[in-house]
């Protein structure tokens, strides 16, 4: 999705940047993991196929993808983005007849970053981005039944169980954004700064808080 190709979102613990070709080699290494293939229901790809996928996601109008960076490492003057990568987050417009509905998918690929509350901040940042920039009013998340940590996190963020598919071993959680929830989410995440994206820079230009439309 081109809407976020020049967008950087800076949170408290993480920074979200658009998925670009220089991120692909590290991403490709992640996706060799059988664990991540299982969690994301993905098949292993060649490096060239991974590059093609990245280009496709950039051009598709129904996918919004950010790479998650460790903010502390990213803030170091000599930091390279590839060294700061810890996962990715996606927002898919799954119903062409209802552009107010989006599915969220988050992956903390680096095991050392799990269980530190990063997933919650990333999820809230994406919820606010979807609400304020894309006009999303309903969110869904499909999570493996054995991923109890993620299920608990989404439920704490007001997601409710919509269905369970035992064949695929996953639960679908959903949330409808009413005015009070919208106000709370945007208020809680008012500290997030939206900047113009510049590769390898810890001091991007165009700083400003995330605004609503």
């Amino acid at each position: 999705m081109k809407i976020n190709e020049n967008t950087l979102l800076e949170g408290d613990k993480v920074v979200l940047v658009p998925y670009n070709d220089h991120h692909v080699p590290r991403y490709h290494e992640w996706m060799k993991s059988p664990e991540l293939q299982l969690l994301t229901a993905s098949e292993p790809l060649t490096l060239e196929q991974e590059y093609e996928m990245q280009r496709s996601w950039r051009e598709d109008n129904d996918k919004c993808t950010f790479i998650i960076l460790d903010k502390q490492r990213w803030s170091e003057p000599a930091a390279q983005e590839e060294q700061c990568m810890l996962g990715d987050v996606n927002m898919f417009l799954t119903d062409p007849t209802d552009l107010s509905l989006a599915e969220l998918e988050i992956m903390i690929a680096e095991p050392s970053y799990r269980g530190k509350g990063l997933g919650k901040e990333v999820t809230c940042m994406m919820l606010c981005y979807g609400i304020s920039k894309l006009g999303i009013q309903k969110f869904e998340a499909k999570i493996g039944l054995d991923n109890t940590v993620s299920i608990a996190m989404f439920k704490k963020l007001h997601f409710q169980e919509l269905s369970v598919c035992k064949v695929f071993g996953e639960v679908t959680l959903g949330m409808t954004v009413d005015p009070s929830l919208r106000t709370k989410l945007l208020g809680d995440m008012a500290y997030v700064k939206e900047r113009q994206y510049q590769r390898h820079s810890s001091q991007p230009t165009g700083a400003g808080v995330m605004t609503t439309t």
Side-chain angles (χ1 to χ4, degrees):
M1 187 176 283
K2 284 187 170 293
I3 189 173
N4 73 317
E5 66 179 342
N6 296 311
T7 299
L8 178 151
L9 301 177
E10 181 182 344
D12 181 38
K13 299 178 181 179
V14 299
V15 173
L16 305 185
V17 298
Y19 183 28
N20 287 307
D21 55 3
H22 60 276
H23 299 127
V24 172
R26 180 79 177 271
Y27 188 92
H28 180 62
E29 289 301 313
W30 285 342
M31 297 314 297
K32 291 179 181 179
S33 162
E35 177 194 14
L36 292 179
Q37 291 173 18
L38 179 63
L39 289 173
T40 60
S42 302
E43 297 291 333
L45 301 177
T46 66
L47 182 59
E48 183 53 40
Q49 288 173 325
E50 210 75 77
Y51 275 110
E52 291 175 4
M53 183 73 73
Q54 181 271 328
R55 289 190 291 268
S56 171
W57 285 10
R58 171 57 64 87
E59 298 297 327
D60 288 351
N61 292 323
D62 59 356
K63 299 180 182 67
C64 181
T65 301
F66 285 96
I67 292 294
I68 309 168
L69 307 180
D70 175 347
K71 181 179 176 179
Q72 184 175 355
R73 295 192 66 182
W74 170 84
S75 298
E76 297 171 0
Q80 300 294 305
E81 280 184 8
E82 296 89 331
Q83 300 170 336
C84 305
M85 291 170 60
L86 63 93
D88 78 327
V89 60
N90 301 285
M91 190 156 45
F92 304 106
L93 303 181
T94 55
D95 185 350
T97 67
D98 185 2
L99 298 182
S100 69
L101 170 66
E103 180 182 334
L104 278 180
E105 182 181 273
I106 180 170
M107 177 179 73
I108 304 297
E110 295 290 340
S112 62
Y113 286 96
R114 296 172 189 166
K116 297 184 177 181
L118 303 183
K120 179 180 179 181
E121 182 176 44
V122 171
T123 301
C124 289
M125 290 169 71
M126 283 299 280
L127 290 173
C128 290
Y129 188 81
I131 292 168
S132 62
K133 301 300 181 182
L134 302 177
I136 304 301
Q137 300 174 23
K138 294 169 288 185
F139 292 92
E140 292 184 356
K142 290 180 169 58
I143 307 170
L145 289 171
D146 57 349
N147 193 345
T148 55
V149 174
S150 290
I151 292 172
M153 181 197 74
F154 274 96
K155 286 186 174 181
K156 286 181 181 178
L157 294 175
H158 306 285
F159 279 71
Q160 298 180 340
E161 186 175 303
L162 299 180
S163 63
V164 175
C165 181
K166 293 185 178 180
V167 174
F168 293 105
E170 66 180 20
V171 59
T172 299
L173 305 177
M175 178 183 72
T176 298
V177 183
D178 59 31
S180 62
L181 185 54
R182 173 190 172 96
T183 299
K184 176 173 172 50
L185 275 170
L186 295 178
D188 288 348
M189 303 304 291
Y191 67 87
V192 175
K193 296 177 181 178
E194 179 176 347
R195 304 176 183 269
Q196 182 177 341
Y197 171 69
Q198 292 179 341
R199 181 185 176 186
H200 299 322
S201 172
S202 60
Q203 298 294 332
T205 60
V209 297
M210 189 183 300
T211 58
T212 60
T213 55

